[in-house]
């Protein structure tokens, strides 16, 4: 490697490497030869020639400093960690603390730090609270706290003042991809729900609120988001800004749901509102039977089910979408059809023998 190539090399520190966003980001970075990659999560991972994994408790400031405080080579921090809590207010302390602990550990050591990328979402717009202004735009006013996404961005803005590095904030809609043990993975919810419906010989019913079946929504493919994240972190036009990142199309479940059912060779029946957290709670034995019957990879029922998140998404009986034209105006033009996205994810889940 010559001196110019060495100077152009970048080192990504991916925080939340085991999640659907972080793992897909790493998969994308591996395809880019100028990047070295360090993945951080509670569980760690298996090192390769391109990726080094670190297990760290980001809620523990001392452990974070001990594990990350010597990473002088880091040029880009990609922050995609998340801790779930029962209430919106309870989400703030742990999620803000993890980001603060990472930045305070890494920034002093990484003298060549160029950028910190923050993963957000439509909670910034109050989308989780009820009907909100659509299309949501990056210039929309903040809502009444508590809101950890806003607190995290405020921290970065204040920390960045007078520094050489810049920040960006990515705001995807519901992120869909392949990752196990993730509390917010809608594609997995649908895949497992459909597979079990087929096993039980029943049609695929939409389980959400009646109004949710007809509302306008959009999704964000995890692979598309990974490309946008690297783009925003390396294009100087994106410095110190937020961007909505979406697939580029809108849909209603009443049109997409029958197509998903057809993929699994299922009929549909009229929607029936039911809590997946309740009706799927007793299905672990069924899942274990399916693992053996179809020779699937022995993933636990807990690792493949995110029923509470499914209930959350299927409760949106209001329009749920944002304006993503700011990213296009700044130079990011990738897109994917949402129907194709689901098909490709389901294909991959079958290929990896996660579902029948």
């Amino acid at each position: 490697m010559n001196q110019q190539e060495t100077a152009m090399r970048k080192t990504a520190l991916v925080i939340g490497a085991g999640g659907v966003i972080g793992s897909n980001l790493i998969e994308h970075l591996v395809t880019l030869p100028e990047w070295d990659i360090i993945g951080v999560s509670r569980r760690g991972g298996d090192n390769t020639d391109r990726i080094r994994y670190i297990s760290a408790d980001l809620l523990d400031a001392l452990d974070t400093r001990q594990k990350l405080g010597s990473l002088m080579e880091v040029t880009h921090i990609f922050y995609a960690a998340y801790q779930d809590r029962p209430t919106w207010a309870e989400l703030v302390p742990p999620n803000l603390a993890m980001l603060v602990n990472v930045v305070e550990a890494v920034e002093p050591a990484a003298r060549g730090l160029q950028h910190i990328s923050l993963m957000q979402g439509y909670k910034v717009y109050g989308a989780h609270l009820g009907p909100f202004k659509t299309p949501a735009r990056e210039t929309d006013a903040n809502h009444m706290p508590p809101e950890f996404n806003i607190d995290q961005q405020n921290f970065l803005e204040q920390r960045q003042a007078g520094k050489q590095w810049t920040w960006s904030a990515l705001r995807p809609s519901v992120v869909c991809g392949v990752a196990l043990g993730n509390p917010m993975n809608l594609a997995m919810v649908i895949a497992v729900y459909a597979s079990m419906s087929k096993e039980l010989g029943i049609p695929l019913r939409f389980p959400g609120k009646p109004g949710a079946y007809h509302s306008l929504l959009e999704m964000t493919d995890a692979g598309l988001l990974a490309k946008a994240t690297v783009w925003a972190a390396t294009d100087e036009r994106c410095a110190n800004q937020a961007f909505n990142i979406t697939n580029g199309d809108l849909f209603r479940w009443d049109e997409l749901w029958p197509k998903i059912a057809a993929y699994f060779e299922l009929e549909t029946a009229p929607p029936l509102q039911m809590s997946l957290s309740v009706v799927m709670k007793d299905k672990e034995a069924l899942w274990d039977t399916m693992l053996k019957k179809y020779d699937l990879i022995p993933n636990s029922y807990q690792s493949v089910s995110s029923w509470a998140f499914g209930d959350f998404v299927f409760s949106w009986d209001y329009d749920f979408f944002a304006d993503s034209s700011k990213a296009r105006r700044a130079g990011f033009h990738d897109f994917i059809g949402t129907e194709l996205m689901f098909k490709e994810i389901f294909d991959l889940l079958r290929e990896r023998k996660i579902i029948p």
Side-chain angles (χ1 to χ4, degrees):
M1 187 181 297
N2 61 41
Q3 191 171 359
Q4 184 179 8
E5 288 175 326
T6 302
M8 292 176 63
R9 291 205 66 75
K10 306 176 183 72
T11 298
L13 183 67
V14 180
I15 308 294
V20 65
I21 293 174
S23 61
N24 279 272
L25 176 57
I26 287 175
E27 285 185 15
H28 176 57
L29 287 168
V30 167
T31 69
L32 307 176
E34 70 272 22
W35 287 91
D36 298 314
I37 306 152
I38 304 170
V40 179
S41 69
R42 281 172 294 178
R43 295 187 294 269
D46 297 324
N47 295 340
T48 70
D49 59 338
R50 291 287 308 282
I51 312 165
R52 175 160 65 99
Y53 285 97
I54 297 173
S55 173
D57 179 2
L58 302 180
L59 288 171
D60 185 326
L62 178 59
D63 188 60
T64 305
R65 283 198 303 273
Q66 290 175 339
K67 301 290 181 58
L68 309 183
S70 61
L71 300 177
M72 296 182 292
E73 68 271 36
V74 171
T75 58
H76 294 71
I77 299 173
F78 294 99
Y79 188 87
Y82 174 75
Q83 279 269 329
D84 201 16
R85 292 292 187 273
T87 68
W88 305 128
E90 289 175 274
L91 284 171
V92 175
N95 285 290
L96 180 58
M98 289 193 299
L99 175 63
V100 170
N101 289 342
V102 167
V103 174
E104 290 187 343
V106 178
E107 187 196 29
R111 299 299 177 88
L113 184 65
Q114 299 175 28
H115 194 83
I116 298 178
S117 170
L118 176 65
M119 195 58 60
Q120 296 184 321
Y122 290 5
K123 288 186 177 72
V124 169
Y125 305 124
H128 56 306
L129 302 175
F132 64 107
K133 171 188 160 293
T134 53
R137 294 187 173 89
E138 294 90 345
T139 52
D140 289 351
N142 292 341
H143 60 82
M144 179 69 74
E147 180 44 56
F148 76 87
N149 286 276
I150 295 171
D151 290 347
Q152 288 178 328
Q153 183 174 325
N154 287 341
F155 165 72
L156 282 186
E157 289 178 351
Q158 294 164 13
R159 184 88 179 197
Q160 188 273 334
K163 306 290 179 60
Q164 291 295 315
W165 56 268
T166 58
W167 61 268
S168 61
L170 288 300
R171 297 176 180 174
S173 183
V174 177
V175 179
C176 293
V178 177
L180 298 174
N182 191 282
M184 299 190 297
N185 193 339
L186 186 69
M188 189 68 73
V189 168
I190 294 173
V192 176
Y193 177 60
S195 298
M196 287 188 162
S197 295
K198 187 172 184 178
E199 189 68 15
L200 293 170
I202 58 177
L204 188 66
R205 289 184 186 268
F206 180 76
K209 288 184 178 179
Y213 201 51
H214 307 290
S215 297
L216 271 176
L217 292 93
E218 63 189 354
M219 299 276 148
T220 302
D221 175 70
L224 179 79
L225 178 60
K227 294 177 183 178
T229 302
V230 175
W231 161 76
T234 55
D235 191 318
E236 61 184 16
R237 293 173 294 181
C238 303
N240 304 326
Q241 296 184 69
F243 293 93
N244 296 327
I245 303 296
T246 70
N247 285 352
D249 62 351
L250 298 174
F251 72 94
R252 303 181 199 271
W253 286 118
D254 60 7
E255 181 181 11
L256 185 58
W257 197 258
K259 295 176 180 178
I260 290 174
Y263 175 90
F264 288 95
E265 301 176 322
L266 286 166
E267 299 294 326
T268 58
L272 180 63
Q273 185 176 350
M274 53 185 162
S275 167
L276 293 176
S277 298
V278 173
V279 301
M280 305 303 286
K281 192 172 185 178
D282 67 344
K283 301 297 188 293
E284 184 169 2
L286 173 62
W287 176 252
D288 291 342
T289 299
M290 292 168 64
L291 290 178
K292 297 172 184 174
K293 180 177 178 180
Y294 299 104
D295 192 27
L296 303 178
I297 300 297
N299 295 302
S300 70
Y301 188 53
Q302 288 71 31
S303 71
V304 300
S305 55
S306 312
W307 304 124
F309 185 64
D311 287 337
F312 181 49
V313 173
F314 295 142
S315 73
W316 296 337
D317 54 359
Y318 48 88
D319 291 347
F320 192 99
F321 63 95
D323 176 7
S324 56
S325 64
K326 180 183 177 183
R328 292 195 296 276
R329 291 193 299 273
F332 184 76
H333 300 124
D334 286 28
F335 64 90
I336 184 173
T338 297
E339 181 182 348
L340 175 61
M341 175 198 75
F342 275 117
K343 179 185 181 301
E344 290 183 346
I345 292 173
F346 297 152
D347 284 348
L348 197 54
L349 289 173
R350 281 182 165 170
E351 182 184 313
R352 296 183 182 181
K353 298 191 73 65
I354 295 172
I355 61 171

